[in-house]
Amino acid sequence: HEGTTEEASVKAFAGWLEQRGFRVSPAVAFAHGAAAAAGGRGVVAAAAARRGHRLFDVPFAAMLGPRNCTARGRSPAFARALDALTRKDPETALIVALMTEHSLVDVSPWAPFMRVLPTDYNTPILWEEDEREFLHGTDLDVGLADVHAAYEKNVAPMVSAFPDLFSRASDFRSFAVWGSAMASRAFEADPTHSGPVMVPMADMLNHRTGCCNAHLEDDADGRDCGMSMILQKDVSRGDEIFNTYGDLSNAELLRRYGYVDPSPNPFDVVYIAPADLFGAYRDSGAAVEERVAWLARTLATAGGELYLRWEHGGCGKRVHASGRLVSAACALLLPPVRFALLRRTFARHGFGAVPVSMRADLAVVTVLRRAAEQRLARSGAAAPETETEAEEAPESRAGRRRLADVVRHGEQCLLRAFTH
């Protein structure tokens, strides 16, 4: 019965694509279940095709976002509130648009598309609270509280103000479900929208690291009225067609898509908290406290991230420290006169006032190593897994612990390589 429902939804979606002006190559077929990656949904080659083949075109008018969702046409006040949210937080605005589109699906012109969108995700924001404890000590341990705060500040008031546009189930969990849909399926594609949009058909392609064979590009006809999915490699009949999500760490893959690549992932990244960096600086005194306080404010407002990553995407070799991380460590150790100069000229030159020669200074390297050691000490340890738990699905409690431990293991490999 589930297979019949799935097939009926896909058939209705295919008819909707044709009505909306999509052009789909005969070399493309939908896949679900065992035919797609991880047993989910995807797109496969129905026939062999060569590199450069245009798989399908997506008109801009068929892309769904805050500017053309159904709800805005039913309430001018809601449209104004959604526009204000779009200017402030375009990603949250798209989530709100999806929540209302789902609630109004019976009258939505995007109904066939909405009905093929998954609503079952394994992203950490949808885990139980005790399951999220598995992420303690990883980079995913931070940020989840911010999602709750964003909902309470920006979304809950809209749900209360416009109850006719939201279903009764429009609570934080609904926000998390459609937030997962946005994070895993939205594109920055339509110039008429400020922020991400949902791109029907394109969002059905799965990701596999190192296996990208298609890419969404500007309209191949040069008419600037849509996007085209173009093959980047030759494919044979039955091959799944993958569109890369980018070179993403396991923490980011789990946060956005609910799965991980085998560890260590060559694109793993570890973020160094300013507190770890400052804690690695062993001097004390009023002048030091003032310096640390200024750096903390500066790092919070100036942008740039403090991180370590594998150099050239190769695990177990060299580790790259971000320029901002090295510059911040150098700033901690500047002589008083040079530090005063940095503060006076920062608005104009940023960390450019830090002497390049300091970057190889042993004291700077020592501070960076200590900061990495502190981050490693906070990463915790993987829990032992029984033989029975190892066979459980990723959506189970044991499966989610396993996913968290893959993230932790990759981050620890990177930190150990740097400190050694």
Side-chain angles (χ1 to χ4, degrees), residues 72-299:
R72 70 179 298 120
R74 300 172 76 91
S75 169
F78 174 80
R80 290 192 295 271
L82 190 60
D83 286 344
L85 181 58
T86 300
R87 289 190 292 270
K88 180 171 59 175
D89 187 347
E91 291 188 349
T92 299
L94 177 56
I95 299 171
V96 170
L98 289 171
M99 291 172 69
T100 60
E101 208 66 37
H102 175 68
S103 301
L104 302 172
V105 69
D106 290 338
V107 295
S108 166
W110 275 274
F113 168 57
M114 294 297 297
R115 287 180 173 132
V116 297
L117 280 177
T119 56
D120 186 16
Y121 295 92
N122 196 29
T123 47
I125 195 62
L126 287 163
W127 294 6
E128 298 298 329
E129 186 173 350
D130 63 331
E131 292 172 334
R132 290 199 293 272
E133 289 293 319
F134 299 149
L135 298 167
H136 182 69
T138 72
D139 279 342
L140 282 173
D141 192 24
V142 296
L144 294 180
D146 295 339
V147 180
H148 283 269
Y151 172 78
E152 293 296 337
K153 179 180 179 181
N154 298 317
V155 181
M158 295 183 72
V159 174
S160 299
F162 306 101
D164 294 343
L165 303 179
F166 292 88
S167 71
R168 292 183 179 179
S170 294
D171 54 10
F172 177 77
R173 184 166 183 83
S174 172
F175 174 75
V177 166
W178 293 108
S180 296
M182 182 280 299
S184 62
R185 294 173 173 270
F187 292 79
E188 296 276 354
D190 187 348
T192 66
H193 287 262
S194 299
V197 291
M198 303 301 288
V199 183
M201 186 71 183
D203 65 354
M204 295 190 75
L205 273 66
N206 290 311
H207 163 94
R208 181 174 290 164
T209 300
C211 296
C212 175
N213 50 20
H215 191 258
L216 191 65
E217 302 178 359
D218 291 338
D219 189 348
D221 290 338
R223 296 174 299 166
D224 195 29
C225 60
M227 305 288 287
S228 301
M229 188 66 74
I230 307 296
L231 271 181
Q232 305 298 302
K233 300 176 182 177
D234 296 350
V235 294
S236 301
R237 185 176 184 274
D239 287 351
E240 184 163 1
I241 299 169
F242 295 100
N243 176 33
T244 182
Y245 301 163
D247 298 335
L248 301 179
S249 69
N250 274 337
E252 192 65 8
L253 286 173
L254 184 56
R255 183 187 73 83
R256 291 169 60 176
Y257 307 110
Y259 78 96
V260 295
D261 278 341
S263 178
N265 177 337
F267 304 111
D268 273 340
V269 174
V270 177
Y271 291 92
I272 303 296
D276 286 330
L277 181 64
F278 301 151
Y281 184 44
R282 301 290 171 81
D283 286 353
S284 59
V288 171
E289 292 177 5
E290 181 185 359
R291 180 177 296 210
V292 167
W294 179 84
L295 270 173
R297 293 193 301 271
T298 301
L299 291 171

Side-chain angles (χ1 to χ4, degrees), residues 34-58:
R41 309 177 189 199
V43 173
V44 299
R50 303 296 297 272
R51 177 183 177 183
H53 183 78
R54 184 163 54 177
L55 299 170
F56 52 84
D57 299 333
V58 185

Side-chain angles (χ1 to χ4, degrees), residues 1 111 181 211 240 251 319 364 419:
H1 175 73
C211 296
E240 184 163 1
V319 177
V364 173
T419 57

Side-chain angles (χ1 to χ4, degrees), residues 374-390:
Q374 291 185 178
R375 175 64 179 80
L376 181 61
R378 289 194 295 103
S379 66
E385 185 175 61
T386 68
E387 186 175 339
T388 302
E389 288 176 334

